[in-house]
Amino acid sequence: MKHLKSTYLLLFLFGLITQIAFTQNKTIEIKEAGFGDKDEKNHPGASILTRNNQAQVHIYHEGIDMYCDKAIFYGKEDFIEAYGNVVMKQGDTINLTAKYAEYSGKTKLAFASGDVLLTEPSSTLTTDTLYFNREAQQAYYKSGGRVVRDSSGVITSTVGRFYMKEKKYRFLNTVKLVNPEYILTTNQLDFYTETGHAYMYGPSDIVGETSEIYSERGFYDTNNDTGYFEKNAKIDYDNREVKGDSLYFDRSKNFASATNNITVTDTINNSIIKGHYAEVYRAKDSVFITKRALAITIQENDSIYIHADTLMVTGKADKRITRAFKNAKIYKSDLSGKADSLHVNHQKGLTELININKGKIDAFSKTRKPVLWHLKNQMTGDTIHIISNPETEKIDSLKVFKNAFMISKDSIDVNGYNQISGQRLIGLFNDKNEIYQVDILKNAESIYYARNEEDDLIGIERSKSANISIFFESQDVVELRKLQQVDGTLFKEEEINAKERILKGFNWREEERPKNVEDLFSEDLPLNLPKIKGIEEALPEEEFFDEKLINRMIDADKIAEDKNLTKKDKLPKSSRNLPKKFISKNKKGKRKLVAKPILEVAPKK
């Protein structure tokens, strides 16, 4: 029996020692102080601790060390007020300095004010007031803050929050990042201090010396100066504006790319390029675009549209070149064309329709040969040049080189075609952009449906000569003039068969003619755009003063009240810096904490 009592006694003492050790581990511990004092009138129940010449007051609580010149320690409330050269250290990673700080061992919430400086390995935060929730490992300011990260720059915002476990800042309201190369402004910035990665939400701008980026959701790598942007995203590059569903940007390479629903606007040359994938090289003054690529030159009366599998625009604004590769087409209301490739020199006003296939002419190459339609006329050849006046934007002339062939339908006979062929063709245009003269040079042949003034058919003339000139009025042939004619015969309609009514190389391609902008895409394969995963939307901002923290405050306040430690004219220490939205009053007017913030209701007018 005596042995049993001894056992119970040992177990009781062990449990008591364990409980005391546990309690000591959970409460604030004074490690060092030079002098101690009491002031029951002003600080009832508190110990007033002051440094000496050798060391500051040293306080410890669960892995955090606090140093200060003077401390007021409320032992029963497990609460401390620290004054003068305050330093709080958490391991090797977090260091906080301030003029004043207070800390509750029960809530694990620290509040610092006066020249607050929070340092972690990758950044430094300065602010006027700061909350530090040790349980959640989060710091928070709401009165303006400034974060410095050497390789990224300086970030300022009205509200900020630091997630220590994730090494992440969330900046809110009037956010501004200043870097020697650019200035970033946004509504919300999630910034990771270790990687320098920044996520922007809401209307955001990145303005540099040579570019300006706008988006409403974006990512920027501040270490490597690369970024990804979406949602109304656009990049202004000098005189070019690039828009698309998704934009990529590399500052060091002066490079940008865009995916899906792209528009590149040239503000100087008044032109637009559209497509679904583009690359822009600012240093080279070049744009590459594909996937239903379309270039639009905006003119006062009639815009010009160019489509091809791939478009490339290069050169300075005053020396711009547009190249269209593979299945190139051009359209304006009175002129359209088709070729393997197009080359446009905007400075000279020269548009070239080029035949890539220069080998043996077969059925395939005939359909690929450049073709130009103007009103009622079709012109083909190995190469076609359209010469325009860059100032007036009106067509001056056109030239067809090698195997020139011009066809126009007879005004009456649906199966009749006026035709001229030769080595070269030169067409001249009037001020109304209508062709009024065509010259066929070298080895010219013609078939011409001759009619009288009543449009009765006189006969079908077939002739050969060195050169032929044709004159037009109101789009109709009024004269066909042969120079150095070799032979020519005017046949009656019944005297010439269908085969003889066609010159060698005849190929009427009216079904290929683009009659509107949509027709430019008629031969394109179905387009399957890539699905852009993109940046996820910002998660709703969680309340810094979360339910767990508020409940710890409620418990601490209740303990202080039960022990009669709080004076009637003073607020409970653990919750006195809590924002008003968490405080209500009961029916008796007594102060009461609530775990969820109270929404302010606007007064009725």
Side-chain angles (χ1 to χ4, degrees), residues 118-156:
L118 177 67
T119 304
E120 56 98 24
S122 302
S123 66
T124 300
L125 162 67
T126 56
T127 183
D128 184 55
T129 57
L130 185 72
Y131 297 89
F132 177 18
N133 182 346
R134 292 195 58 229
E135 184 72 22
Q137 285 296 289
Q138 294 178 17
Y140 169 76
Y141 64 84
K142 59 177 182 176
S143 56
R146 181 176 185 267
V147 172
V148 178
R149 184 178 185 272
D150 290 341
S151 58
S152 301
V154 178
I155 306 173
T156 56

Side-chain angles (χ1 to χ4, degrees), residues 19-78:
Q19 184 177 359
I20 291 170
F22 179 77
T23 304
Q24 287 177 343
N25 190 45
K26 292 291 183 180
T27 57
I28 292 173
E29 181 182 353
I30 306 301
K31 287 281 191 179
E32 185 175 358
F35 306 98
D37 201 357
K38 295 280 187 179
D39 185 352
E40 291 297 328
K41 181 179 179 181
N42 295 310
H43 306 288
S47 299
I48 301 173
L49 310 170
T50 311
R51 67 166 296 162
N52 58 23
N53 292 332
Q54 281 73 41
Q56 288 184 294
V57 179
H58 181 190
I59 304 117
Y60 176 83
H61 184 249
E62 293 189 11
I64 191 166
D65 290 281
M66 180 186 293
Y67 302 87
C68 61
D69 294 341
K70 179 182 176 181
I72 300 175
F73 178 45
Y74 298 88
K76 292 182 180 180
E77 295 176 76
D78 205 20

Side-chain angles (χ1 to χ4, degrees), residues 27 112 182 188 437 552:
T27 57
Y182 57 87
Q188 176 180 326
Q437 180 178 338
R552 292 199 299 273

Side-chain angles (χ1 to χ4, degrees), residues 78-90:
D78 205 20
F79 188 88
I80 197 155
E81 297 172 348
Y83 299 86
N85 299 308
V86 179
V87 178
M88 296 180 71
K89 290 186 177 182
Q90 180 178 276

Side-chain angles (χ1 to χ4, degrees), residues 261-520:
N261 301 305
I262 300 158
T263 301
V264 181
T265 304
D266 184 332
T267 56
I268 290 182
N269 287 309
N270 209 20
S271 63
I272 297 171
I273 310 173
K274 295 184 177 182
H276 294 285
Y277 178 75
E279 294 180 356
V280 181
Y281 298 85
R282 178 188 166 276
K284 298 179 181 179
D285 275 299
S286 72
V287 178
F288 164 91
I289 194 162
T290 187
K291 295 186 177 179
R292 295 181 75 87
L294 179 68
I296 307 168
T297 301
I298 301 171
Q299 297 182 349
E300 185 176 351
N301 298 317
D302 191 9
S303 297
I304 299 173
Y305 300 84
I306 295 175
H307 166 63
D309 287 3
T310 301
L311 293 176
M312 184 174 287
V313 182
T314 58
K316 299 288 184 181
D318 58 342
K319 296 182 179 179
R320 196 135 287 172
I321 301 292
T322 298
R323 296 177 177 88
F325 302 101
K326 197 174 180 183
N327 299 321
K329 297 179 183 179
I330 185 171
Y331 171 80
K332 65 192 297 285
S333 62
D334 57 1
L335 186 77
S336 57
K338 183 179 178 183
D340 260 343
S341 301
L342 282 170
H343 184 284
V344 183
N345 186 318
H346 297 273
Q347 182 189 24
K348 295 181 178 179
L350 174 62
T351 300
E352 301 175 65
L353 286 76
I354 302 168
N355 182 18
I356 299 297
N357 190 328
K358 295 182 179 179
K360 182 180 178 181
I361 295 179
D362 53 20
F364 175 76
S365 61
K366 282 174 69 176
T367 60
R368 302 283 289 194
K369 185 176 288 188
V371 56
L372 190 69
W373 295 274
H374 172 63
L375 302 176
K376 297 178 180 179
N377 306 296
Q378 173 188 296
M379 288 154 278
T380 56
D382 288 1
T383 304
I384 299 175
H385 289 185
I386 304 170
I387 299 95
S388 303
N389 186 322
E391 300 297 327
T392 63
E393 300 175 341
K394 291 182 178 180
I395 300 175
D396 176 71
S397 60
L398 67 85
K399 297 178 181 179
V400 181
F401 299 91
K402 291 188 179 180
N403 301 307
F405 206 119
M406 181 174 178
I407 307 172
S408 62
K409 260 197 167 187
D410 179 59
S411 57
I412 304 297
D413 188 348
V414 294
N415 295 315
Y417 298 91
N418 294 307
Q419 306 156 55
I420 303 177
S421 68
Q423 283 302 300
R424 292 183 64 190
L425 180 153
I426 299 174
L428 304 177
F429 289 75
N430 59 25
D431 290 339
K432 296 180 181 179
N433 263 3
E434 294 178 351
I435 197 165
Y436 70 88
Q437 180 178 338
V438 171
D439 296 322
I440 298 288
L441 308 176
K442 201 172 182 180
N443 301 328
E445 293 185 65
S446 68
I447 292 177
Y448 176 59
Y449 282 67
R451 295 184 179 274
N452 60 24
E453 292 181 357
E454 285 76 31
D455 279 337
D456 296 326
L457 182 65
I458 299 171
I460 301 173
E461 182 187 63
R462 184 173 179 130
S463 63
K464 293 181 180 180
S465 58
N467 304 316
I468 296 177
S469 294
I470 310 171
F471 300 89
F472 297 82
E473 285 183 8
S474 301
Q475 305 175 28
D476 292 323
V477 176
V478 294
E479 183 183 352
L480 191 147
R481 189 181 300 169
K482 305 174 207 58
L483 305 175
Q484 300 178 20
Q485 183 173 350
V486 177
D487 64 37
T489 305
L490 180 64
F491 296 96
K492 291 182 180 181
E493 186 176 12
E494 61 273 13
E495 294 176 344
I496 185 169
N497 60 37
K499 187 176 181 180
E500 291 174 328
R501 298 183 187 190
I502 299 296
L503 292 177
K504 183 180 179 180
F506 175 90
N507 184 20
W508 183 243
R509 296 167 63 180
E510 182 68 17
E511 73 281 355
E512 300 176 47
R513 182 176 186 171
K515 297 179 175 63
N516 50 51
V517 177
E518 288 71 26
D519 282 352
L520 295 175

